[in-house]
Amino acid sequence: MTISSDNPLREGLRSRQVAEACSLVIFGATGDLTHRKLVPALYNLAAAGDLPPGLQVLGFARRDKTDESWRAELEESNRKNSRGGHDDALWASFASGIGYHRGNFNEPEAYRALAGRLDEIDARGGTRHNRLFYLSTAPEFFPVVLENLKAAGLNEPRGGGWSRVIVEKPFGVDLATAQALNGVVNETFQEADTYRIDHYLGKETAQNIMVLRFANAIFEPLWRARFIDQVQITCAEHLGMEGGRGAYYDTAGATRDMVQNHLLQLLSLVAMEPPTDLSADSVRDEKVKVLRSLRPLDSAAVGENVVRAQYTAGAIDGVPVPGYREEDRVAPDSQTESYVAMRTFVDNWRWEGCPFYIRMGKRLPKKATEISLHLKQPPAVLFQKMPQGGESNVLTIRIQPDEGMSVRMLSKLPGTNLQIEPVKMDFRYWSSFGKGSPEAYERLLLDALAGDATLFARRDEVENAWKFIDAIEGAWHAGDRPPPMAEYPAGSWGPTEADLLLAERGHRWRRL
Ligand code: BG6
């Protein structure tokens, strides 16, 4: 297939992204995300020569600061958080394009002043009336900021430039709130100019799923229920509720916090059909079809197919840690899950009958995100003495850490007897390419600056994912007889109920 070079959208994921100069306004400039992720990502893009020379970054927040004091704070956090280290000379040139704009999010005057400041920046040349607004505030301010941007006319492109918005997560807490927020977003910005962040899509390994599937001939013919027995998607974290995180987490839980977005996105990439081309909408059309094909769960089905659990006191790396309900800012009688495991089905032609198991948990023994596709067993007529409990073939995609892929297969052990053992073919990013992957936020910021929304969630993706999750949350919180909350000790691989869920069909969770 040739890809026409006169249609930039067709290039999509393939091409080197070319960012356009603009003013990037970060709302929530003093927050943790700006310090830990956004500014270090911009700095590393600058270090790689990927940022256009005229880029201006303006932080918008309530606290009283000056351009200089904010830059000094960012410099300190960049030293700690920058992936590629910190160089004083490079920082000095990068930081010369950084400024601070003090304002309350609900104060129209602050936005009029912002408009004036952006006009001045444009008048100096370089930014060409291009504006990118990054909503990194607490979610209750998303509509407030959007409405004020609109009132100040900042949402409308002008002078031949563009106006785009990036919206951080969480995007709503259920379908109704996501639809309401989408209403405000779409009244303010065109959908094509709206970039809903899901940072898992910016991970190198997540992007590689499409390449793996559609640039190779070896896997795709097998990539269907006819040959695949089950698919597992695991996201394990060893962290608990450090740094006051319990306050947010106890209102969300594992399902809203990670399954609705990151894990359903990974599932969509694994299950989708090949898109007609690599444009943002073609890729997202296929992902939406997967989300729409997820078998809906009524409350009885939630009881049978979903396990929720909380960690009890235990140990991580030998250090004792409290149980979930004893964590800072978590209710002592909390009904919020720190772990969820589910069996779900994609009811379409390709995947009929193949279970997709998803699990996510806090305070598990290690941090690892992995997708594994377990192939059906070959006929047993020839080799009856297979290794104990062994599956013949498993294809594993390691999203993080130790990014890579492996294929498990069976081989004859050298010797005069016929003894069969599993072996592994392994691809590791680091050894194949000699370099680590960029941070997800680098790729995503670059894409938004280049106008490519492929790796951002579209309105219908977010809403269809919520529709699926709402049924589960409804059964837990509004149903007559909510299924019980299981328990697992911190530092273990989750509750036994989750093992039983797989055992029902003769399956087992992959050991990570
Ligand atoms: C965030 C969740 O979206 O993703 C966190 O809110 C989670 O709870 C984090 O820890 C995981 O991201 P990563 O990139 O470290 O896997």
Side-chain angles (χ1 to χ4, degrees):
M1 182 177 83
T2 50
I3 294 187
S4 107
S5 55
D6 56 3
N7 180 353
L9 275 185
R10 290 182 70 91
E11 301 260 334
L13 286 166
R14 298 174 74 241
S15 56
R16 182 182 162 87
Q17 299 290 36
V18 181
E20 295 169 59
C22 74
S23 297
L24 164 59
V25 183
I26 304 176
F27 291 91
T30 54
D32 185 55
L33 188 76
T34 307
H35 283 265
R36 267 191 322 111
K37 296 284 183 192
L38 303 184
V39 170
L42 289 167
Y43 170 83
N44 279 283
L45 287 172
D50 282 333
L51 285 190
L55 184 85
Q56 295 288 313
V57 179
L58 212 47
F60 186 120
R62 287 165 287 189
R63 295 196 202 146
D64 204 8
K65 291 184 195 299
T66 61
D67 292 350
E68 291 70 29
S69 66
W70 191 48
R71 275 184 215 148
E73 285 169 24
L74 293 177
E75 180 170 5
E76 205 184 311
S77 53
N78 193 62
R79 278 182 201 284
K80 277 190 251 151
N81 297 309
S82 159
R83 168 178 75 89
H86 179 97
D87 176 87
D88 287 334
L90 177 63
W91 176 264
S93 93
F94 168 70
S96 64
I98 295 182
Y100 186 77
H101 186 82
R102 199 200 149 273
N104 282 325
F105 298 136
N106 53 9
E107 185 191 341
E109 182 46 40
Y111 293 79
R112 285 195 286 274
L114 174 67
R117 197 156 168 190
L118 292 176
D119 286 341
E120 278 167 32
I121 292 173
D122 286 335
R124 290 205 297 269
T127 48
R128 300 190 202 138
H129 303 277
N130 293 333
R131 281 107 191 249
L132 176 59
F133 300 102
Y134 198 123
L135 307 194
S136 169
T137 63
E140 64 264 30
F141 292 113
F142 293 167
V144 178
V145 174
L146 288 164
E147 275 154 10
N148 276 290
L149 284 172
K150 186 174 177 186
L154 284 166
N155 57 327
E156 296 291 348
R158 53 151 103 175
W162 44 254
S163 199
R164 300 178 187 144
V165 67
I166 301 181
V167 187
E168 255 303 329
K169 62 162 289 214
F171 202 95
V173 296
D174 55 18
L175 177 60
T177 50
Q179 283 171 328
L181 180 55
N182 273 327
V184 183
V185 170
N186 287 164
E187 275 165 25
T188 316
F189 289 90
Q190 302 287 333
E191 180 61 28
D193 292 323
T194 303
Y195 294 73
R196 295 175 191 79
I197 285 264
D198 186 313
H199 78 278
Y200 265 59
L201 292 177
K203 289 185 191 283
E204 194 66 44
T205 33
Q207 293 168 49
N208 204 16
I209 296 173
M210 273 181 54
V211 179
L212 170 74
R213 291 189 54 193
F214 305 130
N216 293 298
I218 189 168
F219 303 117
E220 193 52 25
L222 303 172
W223 210 273
R224 56 200 70 241
R226 184 154 168 227
F227 298 104
I228 292 181
D229 184 37
Q230 46 144 334
V231 178
Q232 297 187 12
I233 303 178
T234 297
C235 175
E237 293 194 340
H238 59 285
L239 288 179
M241 298 295 120
E242 291 82 352
R245 195 121 210 279
Y248 149 75
Y249 198 84
D250 206 35
T251 64
T255 315
R256 287 192 173 111
D257 183 50
M258 292 220 42
V259 180
Q260 185 273 339
N261 39 54
H262 311 323
L263 298 193
L264 288 185
Q265 283 288 344
L266 292 180
L267 184 147
S268 309
L269 288 168
V270 169
M272 70 190 236
E273 296 300 317
T276 45
D277 56 43
L278 291 174
S279 70
D281 275 334
S282 298
V283 172
R284 297 187 297 179
D285 284 348
E286 296 307 329
K287 283 162 54 199
V288 169
K289 285 187 205 159
V290 173
L291 295 168
R292 287 176 45 212
S293 307
L294 287 174
R295 186 179 298 173
L297 299 168
D298 59 21
S299 21
V302 170
E304 286 158 20
N305 293 285
V306 189
V307 171
R308 60 176 177 157
Q310 288 175 340
Y311 56 84
T312 53
I316 295 283
D317 296 333
V319 180
V321 294
Y324 179 70
R325 290 181 176 187
E326 288 100 59
E327 292 275 20
D328 182 26
R329 307 206 214 170
V330 169
D333 58 352
S334 170
Q335 286 299 313
T336 301
E337 77 290 355
S338 60
Y339 175 102
V340 61
M342 62 181 79
R343 175 174 50 217
T344 170
F345 292 90
V346 178
D347 280 337
N348 65 13
W349 183 276
R350 185 186 284 261
W351 292 113
E352 193 199 23
C354 173
F356 281 72
Y357 297 111
I358 300 177
R359 70 178 154 161
M360 187 291 136
K362 298 274 184 196
R363 285 283 190 238
L364 300 188
K366 64 187 212 185
K367 180 167 173 69
T369 305
E370 213 184 81
I371 301 168
S372 52
L373 293 96
H374 303 244
L375 279 93
K376 290 187 172 161
Q377 293 294 87
V381 284
L382 293 182
F383 301 115
Q384 277 139 27
K385 280 182 79 183
M386 294 291 222
Q388 276 278 307
E391 298 159 296
S392 303
N393 304 128
V394 181
L395 170 68
T396 305
I397 304 168
R398 294 187 301 274
I399 300 290
Q400 64 184 19
D402 185 21
E403 294 129 325
M405 235 177 67
S406 64
V407 179
R408 174 192 155 110
M409 58 185 120
L410 299 184
S411 166
K412 178 181 170 304
L413 193 72
T416 46
N417 294 336
L418 177 61
Q419 194 180 336
I420 296 179
E421 289 289 327
V423 291
K424 204 161 77 168
M425 274 199 328
D426 210 10
F427 149 58
R428 294 189 136 82
Y429 276 64
W430 187 261
S431 43
S432 295
F433 301 124
K435 59 177 187 180
S437 308
E439 276 277 325
Y441 276 97
E442 292 172 37
R443 173 68 201 235
L444 296 175
L445 278 162
L446 187 60
D447 282 6
L449 289 167
D452 182 351
T454 313
L455 302 178
F456 293 83
R458 205 170 57 187
R459 174 177 187 151
D460 47 357
E461 282 181 86
V462 172
E463 293 183 3
N464 277 291
W466 273 124
K467 209 164 155 187
F468 176 72
I469 297 297
D470 272 8
I472 299 174
E473 295 284 346
W476 287 343
H477 300 293
D480 299 341
R481 280 189 289 145
M485 179 74 74
E487 291 182 344
Y488 61 104
S492 72
W493 274 107
T496 38
E497 287 81 345
D499 296 337
L500 296 174
L501 180 69
L502 269 67
E504 284 168 17
R505 287 171 185 245
H507 296 147
R508 292 196 301 195
W509 290 109
R510 224 182 95 73
R511 246 186 295 149
L512 301 187

